[in-house]
Amino acid sequence: MNNILFMKAKTYTIGICLLLLMQMGCKKQPETVNQQLTTNEHILNFFKSEIEQSVLALDSISTLNSTSDKIEAYKSARHHFKALEPILAFVDQNNYKSLNAPNILQVLEEDATDIKIRTPFGFQVIEELLHEEPLDTLALHQVVKMTSSRLKLIQGNTAIALKDYHIIWLLRNQVVRIATTGITGFDSPVLAQSLKESQYTYKTLLYVVDVFKDEFSSEAIYNDLKSSFENAIATLNHDFESFDRFNFIKNHTDNQLKLLVQTQDDWQVTFPFEMALTNNATSLFGENTLNVSYFTDYKSDTLKLKEKAEFGKQLFNDKLLSKNKTMACASCHVSDLAFTDGRKTFDNRQTRNSPTLTYAAYQQSFFMDGRAGSLEGQVVGVAENHDEFNLPMDSLVNRVMHNSEYKTSITTLYNNDRVEYNIRHAIASYVRTLNSFDSKFDKNINGLEHSLTQEEKDGFNLFMGKAVCATCHFPPLFNGTVPPNYTDTELELLGVPENNDTINAIVSTDLGRYNFYKTKEREHFFKTPTVRNIEKTAPYMHNGVYNTLEEVVDFYNRGGGKGIGIHEEYQTLPFDSLDLSESEQASLVAFMKTLTDADFNTRNE
């Protein structure tokens, strides 16, 4: 629990730092009367105008009689909301998330004494209500009113004070948001207007670039950046299902990321720190696109990280850390199997499948039920679990310090007396190295290879579109950590069955997240894992119920638990059935197999 609170405190601290840095930008603005509008005034005027127009359209919904007219008014309101998205999502992330939240009950678990259950509101909720039969006009009116009121509150209480590096962050965040959630249908659950709405947000980026035209020393970079946004808008003029997301990311998203690096060099931008997206990211699927330090306490233990990771690897593979000296981390996380064990459960004492540790660093919560807030905290959970290491941390420390080689490593690598933490940090540092971003897919979308088959490309486009896989498994990590801010790792209720049975299925008896806080609304919720290296990590699901990827895809295609007779009130899958053909399902499997890191393929040649 302390680890979860620590991660929340860290995220809060970063947010406060960002807010203070933004406020400092105000001090450089001219204070003369009748001055020409500053860049921040331009942005604020645009921001307030879009809110005002969105509110007007929202307020008209309740006055219109026909459902079709209400839907048209909603589309107008949504248009203006998406136009202000790049700015709102940057300056007020929490309100943006609330207004754009899915129509799923929100459960906020700060600790066992502070659990909040909130009914969602906002645009996605309105969209779904408008398409329900019969139309619940009272519920619709209430949600519209709440949404409109929140927008009015934001309009009257938002100050814009953006410095040059804020603008780069804002532009980069939106480019990545479009590629990772905008073109996937993530927030247009019924109307499937994601491509059109992405056009609206790109037009705002064009406006922002125009406002900051005088910052450019190079007219060529300015024109290239504008052209890249204009070309993306033209490409997005396409139907949802057949849209080529692979080529869009390769030819538009990655080009824009490169141009933003050129822009920040041209502006001579100095960044005060890095967020989750690195300040020099030049491709969505690049090895250095994400800042792994963002997902930990990056202010400490940053020296000699390579040596610390090597020490952590020794500890990871040593059975000395378990009570009976019969189990190591590597027992359940075998390197040749992408750090899984190939079993349904490791032994008869375990109830859950051993998840891959590859890319595990890029999360905000750990274990399948999200009960740990850091990799370091996860080590404690394993050590003190009676069915795993079964060794209290103080005893584990004694064993490590009685090993002369390990004692030397501790004393030379760590200049402090926090021996227990140092051991945990070393193991966590090793786990943070298990991310190579060098799969067949990565190499192809980055132009290093041209070996993807048409079936594999089709599979990616299905994953990102019609099959709605990417609305939970977000690229480039293909896990549940939501881009572009990466502050939340989602948990889902899929209705996973106890046995591989599609006729008389019953839900898994594992209550998942519920076991941590006993919140009924969290029964059977589990963290969304990465799909990277999935070819090597069978069997699948938290209980290892499915042995093949074909079985997993069939489960989703049927509509998860609902499709096999399991009825859970809070299931989070959006559709009853995906209606994927056999060839489309095969394409999905083919794509997922391209996400195997090169090292794991080499080991099996």
Side-chain angles (χ1 to χ4, degrees):
M1 184 182 301
N2 288 337
N3 284 309
I4 292 177
L5 293 176
F6 165 76
M7 293 303 294
K8 291 182 181 293
K10 184 191 78 174
T11 302
Y12 175 77
T13 302
I14 291 173
I16 291 296
C17 290
L18 181 58
L19 180 61
L20 290 173
L21 286 164
M22 289 167 59
Q23 290 174 341
M24 288 168 61
C26 293
K27 298 178 181 179
K28 292 190 176 182
Q29 301 301 331
E31 297 180 357
T32 57
V33 180
N34 298 323
Q35 63 184 353
Q36 185 179 5
L37 288 179
T38 66
T39 53
N40 280 314
E41 288 168 338
H42 276 293
I43 298 296
L44 183 60
N45 286 348
F46 172 86
F47 181 79
K48 289 188 173 183
S49 174
E50 293 299 329
I51 289 181
E52 183 176 354
Q53 293 177 78
S54 185
V55 166
L56 286 172
L58 277 175
D59 289 347
S60 72
I61 290 175
S62 296
T63 68
L64 298 168
N65 293 322
S66 73
T67 300
S68 60
D69 286 344
K70 291 177 185 291
I71 290 174
E72 289 306 310
Y74 166 78
K75 287 180 180 179
S76 176
R78 178 73 176 174
H79 179 167
H80 293 293
F81 175 74
K82 293 298 286 189
L84 66 89
E85 176 183 85
I87 303 168
L88 177 61
F90 186 77
V91 302
D92 194 347
Q93 182 186 154
N94 288 333
N95 269 320
Y96 167 73
K97 285 163 57 179
S98 295
L99 287 163
N100 200 40
N103 190 15
I104 297 171
L105 198 68
Q106 298 172 4
V107 181
L108 305 177
E109 299 169 310
E110 296 294 335
D111 57 57
T113 64
D114 187 14
I115 297 173
K116 300 179 180 69
I117 311 296
R118 293 178 179 172
T119 302
F121 71 100
F123 286 89
Q124 290 194 57
V125 180
I126 296 171
E127 185 170 323
E128 292 194 17
L129 285 172
L130 283 168
H131 289 82
E132 288 182 357
E133 293 184 3
L135 179 65
D136 187 338
T137 55
L138 178 59
L140 176 64
H141 175 74
Q142 290 174 337
V143 175
V144 166
K145 185 177 180 180
M146 287 181 65
T147 305
S148 176
S149 296
R150 181 64 62 90
L151 283 170
K152 292 171 185 174
L153 185 67
I154 294 168
Q155 184 185 35
N157 292 277
T158 299
I160 301 292
L162 301 172
K163 300 182 77 170
D164 53 5
Y165 58 85
H166 293 134
I167 297 302
I168 298 296
W169 281 343
L170 183 155
L171 294 170
R172 183 181 290 119
N173 280 1
Q174 189 60 32
V175 166
V176 170
R177 182 179 291 107
I178 291 168
T180 56
T181 62
I183 61 177
T184 68
F186 173 72
D187 58 358
S188 185
V190 182
L191 292 170
Q193 290 204 121
S194 296
L195 303 189
K196 184 181 292 292
E197 291 180 352
S198 294
Q199 290 178 308
Y200 302 153
T201 66
Y202 264 125
K203 289 177 182 177
T204 298
L205 298 191
L206 278 170
Y207 173 77
V208 172
V209 170
D210 270 340
V211 168
F212 284 83
K213 180 178 180 179
D214 290 345
E215 293 284 334
F216 288 88
S217 299
S218 169
E219 186 175 354
I221 294 175
Y222 166 76
N223 288 330
D224 287 346
L225 188 58
K226 284 197 66 176
S227 294
S228 73
F229 293 156
E230 290 165 349
N231 292 337
I233 291 170
T235 302
L236 286 163
N237 188 27
H238 205 285
D239 71 282
F240 182 81
E241 287 197 2
S242 65
F243 184 63
D244 190 341
R245 291 160 174 86
F246 179 87
N247 281 319
F248 180 83
I249 292 171
K250 184 176 181 179
N251 299 326
H252 295 281
T253 304
D254 286 358
N255 180 51
Q256 289 158 17
L257 291 174
K258 291 179 177 70
L259 285 168
L260 286 174
V261 172
Q262 293 178 31
T263 299
Q264 66 201 37
D265 290 343
D266 180 67
W267 291 9
Q268 297 182 338
V269 172
T270 300
F271 294 97
F273 49 79
E274 281 193 327
M275 304 295 279
L277 293 168
T278 61
N279 294 327
N280 291 297
T282 54
S283 68
L284 181 60
F285 291 92
E287 180 183 1
N288 298 313
T289 298
L290 293 171
N291 170 26
V292 72
S293 296
Y294 177 80
F295 299 86
T296 184
D297 181 11
Y298 63 92
K299 294 181 180 178
S300 65
D301 294 308
T302 58
L303 300 176
K304 300 181 181 178
L305 276 180
K306 184 176 181 180
E307 293 85 349
K308 289 172 180 175
E310 283 298 318
F311 173 45
K313 182 178 181 179
Q314 290 180 283
L315 296 172
F316 184 91
N317 288 281
D318 198 336
K319 295 180 180 180
L320 178 72
L321 274 60
S322 62
K323 181 177 181 178
N324 297 325
K325 302 180 182 179
T326 56
M327 179 184 285
C329 302
S331 300
C332 297
H333 301 284
V334 182
S335 60
D336 287 344
L337 296 175
F339 295 90
T340 61
D341 58 22
R343 308 175 187 182
K344 187 172 183 178
T345 60
F346 176 71
D347 58 31
N348 59 13
R349 296 176 302 166
Q350 308 304 317
T351 59
R352 294 176 184 169
N353 183 252
S354 299
T356 181
L357 293 184
T358 60
Y359 304 92
Y362 300 98
Q363 302 174 102
Q364 296 292 3
S365 63
F366 299 83
F367 290 115
M368 287 186 176
D369 55 15
R371 66 184 183 273
S374 68
L375 282 170
E376 286 85 352
Q378 190 171 25
V379 172
V380 177
V382 172
E384 297 186 348
N385 188 320
H386 293 303
D387 294 324
E388 296 183 70
F389 285 6
N390 194 24
L391 189 66
M393 286 303 298
D394 56 351
S395 299
L396 189 150
V397 168
N398 288 335
R399 287 191 182 183
V400 169
M401 295 304 285
H402 275 87
N403 179 300
S404 59
E405 181 181 352
Y406 290 165
K407 184 176 181 179
T408 299
S409 295
I410 288 282
T411 55
T412 57
L413 293 176
Y414 293 93
N415 186 28
N416 61 63
D417 297 324
R418 301 181 301 168
V419 177
E420 178 191 318
Y421 174 80
N422 296 338
I423 291 169
R424 293 188 282 122
H425 178 264
I427 295 173
S429 296
Y430 169 59
V431 174
R432 291 188 185 104
T433 68
L434 306 178
N435 332 289
S436 57
F437 293 98
D438 64 355
S439 69
K440 177 182 179 180
F441 175 81
D442 295 312
K443 291 176 181 177
N444 276 267
I445 202 163
N446 286 317
L448 302 176
E449 288 182 5
H450 302 281
S451 57
L452 280 186
T453 67
Q454 189 60 50
E455 181 184 41
E456 290 164 344
K457 286 184 182 178
D458 289 345
F460 173 74
N461 286 327
L462 284 164
F463 189 97
M464 295 284 288
K466 179 182 178 182
V468 296
C469 309
T471 61
C472 293
H473 297 274
F474 306 102
L477 297 169
F478 297 108
N479 69 6
T481 308
V482 187
N485 300 104
Y486 298 94
T487 54
D488 300 306
T489 297
E490 293 188 339
L491 294 92
E492 307 283 350
L493 167 51
L494 307 178
V496 174
E498 181 71 10
N499 300 298
N500 191 351
D501 189 345
T502 59
I503 299 175
N504 299 307
I506 59 171
V507 72
S508 165
T509 56
D510 190 335
L511 294 178
R513 178 69 177 183
Y514 170 84
N515 291 327
F516 190 40
Y517 282 128
K518 309 301 181 186
T519 308
K520 180 174 176 54
E521 291 81 1
R522 282 302 212 202
E523 287 182 358
H524 307 294
F525 272 76
F526 293 90
K527 189 178 62 180
T528 304
T530 184
V531 179
R532 284 183 174 271
N533 294 311
I534 197 168
E535 182 183 15
K536 302 294 182 183
T537 62
Y540 305 107
M541 303 302 191
H542 67 270
N543 56 356
V545 68
Y546 295 127
N547 293 312
T548 68
L549 287 173
E550 286 78 7
E551 290 173 337
V552 174
V553 171
D554 177 67
F555 169 75
Y556 281 105
N557 189 44
R558 291 170 181 267
K562 288 182 181 178
I564 57 176
I566 294 172
H567 300 283
E568 291 293 322
E569 181 180 1
Y570 302 113
Q571 180 174 314
T572 55
L573 288 181
F575 299 112
D576 292 331
S577 173
L578 296 174
D579 294 322
L580 299 174
S581 67
E582 289 185 7
S583 64
E584 287 175 327
Q585 293 180 60
S587 294
L588 274 175
V589 172
F591 157 65
M592 287 189 282
K593 289 181 177 180
T594 70
L595 291 174
T596 304
D597 288 338
D599 185 44
F600 300 125
N601 279 328
T602 302
R603 295 182 199 187
N604 290 279
E605 289 179 354

